[in-house]
Amino acid sequence: MGVRETFELTTDYIPLCDLLKYCAVTDTGGQAKHLVAEGNVMVDGEVELRKTCKIRAGQVVTGDGFEIEVVAAGG
């Protein structure tokens, strides 16, 4: 995989499974939910099991082969 990117957040937050899909970590929302449910996704270094966890600017989402830094748009 090897996805490493910065995601510009244009709203207050993005649900975790949507972020994974938008950043092409998974092809579908269903795959994203499965990845989260299996405990394969960490938010700020902690395992996150809530598929719709609100990811906000300043947080880092990581897992096997990917890292996504979330920043505020225009920031």
Side-chain angles (χ1 to χ4, degrees):
M1 213 177 315
V3 176
R4 182 183 175 98
E5 68 176 271
T6 301
F7 179 82
E8 281 200 6
L9 190 62
T10 56
T11 56
D12 287 344
Y13 67 89
I14 182 170
L16 179 56
C17 56
D18 290 352
L19 177 67
L20 296 175
K21 184 175 67 174
Y22 292 148
C23 290
V25 172
T26 61
D27 292 329
T28 67
Q31 288 175 337
K33 290 175 182 175
H34 188 69
L35 194 67
V36 174
E38 289 186 331
N40 293 325
V41 178
M42 293 192 295
V43 176
D44 294 336
E46 299 287 324
V47 173
E48 180 56 71
L49 299 173
R50 296 172 296 163
K51 296 178 272 300
T52 57
C53 172
K54 294 177 180 178
I55 304 301
R56 301 178 189 280
Q59 292 188 294
V60 178
V61 178
T62 57
D64 186 24
F66 69 90
E67 179 178 307
I68 304 162
E69 180 182 0
V70 181
V71 298

